[in-house]
């Protein structure tokens, strides 16, 4: 039986700027980014676009440190591979900002788990483009004073 260990939310930064071009071009880039992200993962990993430019990843049997390393590598690959919009010739240099939460098997509901990942993503986004944070790295203040659990302070 597969055990889902980590949920990651990644916001693909600068992708929102393509909305200013055309719906067709935005859709083209979104499809290409999705394929790129999928090809960068293991076969058992799951990726889904959940809203706008935010993607969710489920990384089965992956310790938190490995999930962070995977997302950092993915972020690096994303930033080093510009995406060109064929019709307009615009090249987009994208970054991914990610929030990672390890599943604790402590009765956390899927909605709570998603809320935790969203909170960590917001903290990473507040720190700037290309950041990858885990829940355990957040200080109690960043963590809502323990609302999502406690972790070591940076």
């Amino acid at each position: 039986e597969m055990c889902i260990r980590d949920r990651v939310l990644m916001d693909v930064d600068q992708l929102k700027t393509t909305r200013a071009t055309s719906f067709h071009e935005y859709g083209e880039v979104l499809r290409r980014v999705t394929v790129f992200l999928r090809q960068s993962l293991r076969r058992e990993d799951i990726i889904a676009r959940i809203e706008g430019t935010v993607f969710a990843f489920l990384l089965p049997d992956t310790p938190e440190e490995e999930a962070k390393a995977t997302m950092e590598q993915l972020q690096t690959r994303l930033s080093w591979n510009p995406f060109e919009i064929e019709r307009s010739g615009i090249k987009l240099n994208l970054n991914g900002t990610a929030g990672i939460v390890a599943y604790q098997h402590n009765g956390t509901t899927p909605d709570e788990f998603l809320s935790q990942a969203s909170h960590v993503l917001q903290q990473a986004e507040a720190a700037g483009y290309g950041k990858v944070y885990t829940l355990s790295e957040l200080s109690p203040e960043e963590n809502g004073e323990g609302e999502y659990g406690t972790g070591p302070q940076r």
Side-chain angles (χ1 to χ4, degrees):
E1 177 183 324
M2 195 164 38
C3 169
I4 295 174
R5 295 277 311 259
D6 288 294
R7 172 170 282 165
V8 179
L9 291 183
M10 175 181 271
D11 189 1
V12 180
D13 304 318
Q14 291 93 22
L15 189 55
K16 294 176 183 115
T17 61
T18 60
R19 288 187 192 168
T21 56
S22 75
F23 182 75
H24 175 76
E25 289 175 338
Y26 178 68
E28 174 192 332
V29 173
L30 204 50
R31 279 189 299 280
R32 290 176 52 213
V33 167
T34 303
V35 168
F36 178 84
L37 294 173
R38 175 69 245 157
Q39 290 173 340
S40 302
L41 299 171
R42 304 171 303 179
R43 183 158 64 234
E44 64 268 22
D45 296 334
I46 299 166
I47 180 175
R49 184 172 148 244
I50 58 171
E51 65 176 339
T53 60
V54 178
F55 294 83
F57 300 82
L58 296 178
L59 308 175
D61 301 319
T62 306
E64 184 179 79
E65 317 79 55
E66 191 177 321
K68 182 172 183 174
T70 298
M71 288 299 114
E72 287 172 337
Q73 290 170 1
L74 187 58
Q75 195 289 105
T76 299
R77 289 191 67 224
L78 189 62
S79 67
W80 286 23
N81 289 284
F83 288 81
E84 186 171 350
I85 300 174
E86 293 173 13
R87 283 185 171 182
S88 62
I90 296 171
K91 285 188 179 180
L92 299 171
N93 294 308
L94 305 175
N95 284 301
T97 303
I100 302 169
V101 175
Y103 187 65
Q104 302 296 323
H105 296 289
N106 61 359
T108 303
T109 68
D111 286 343
E112 291 167 333
F113 196 36
L114 184 59
S115 177
Q116 290 173 349
S118 180
H119 176 75
V120 179
L121 174 61
Q122 289 171 359
Q123 295 299 316
E125 288 176 324
Y129 290 133
K131 300 295 182 188
V132 178
Y133 278 12
T134 64
L135 179 63
S136 65
E137 292 176 314
L138 298 183
S139 69
E141 294 80 28
E142 293 169 320
N143 213 353
E145 299 179 324
E147 179 181 349
Y148 298 104
T150 57
Q153 291 192 18
R154 283 181 273 134

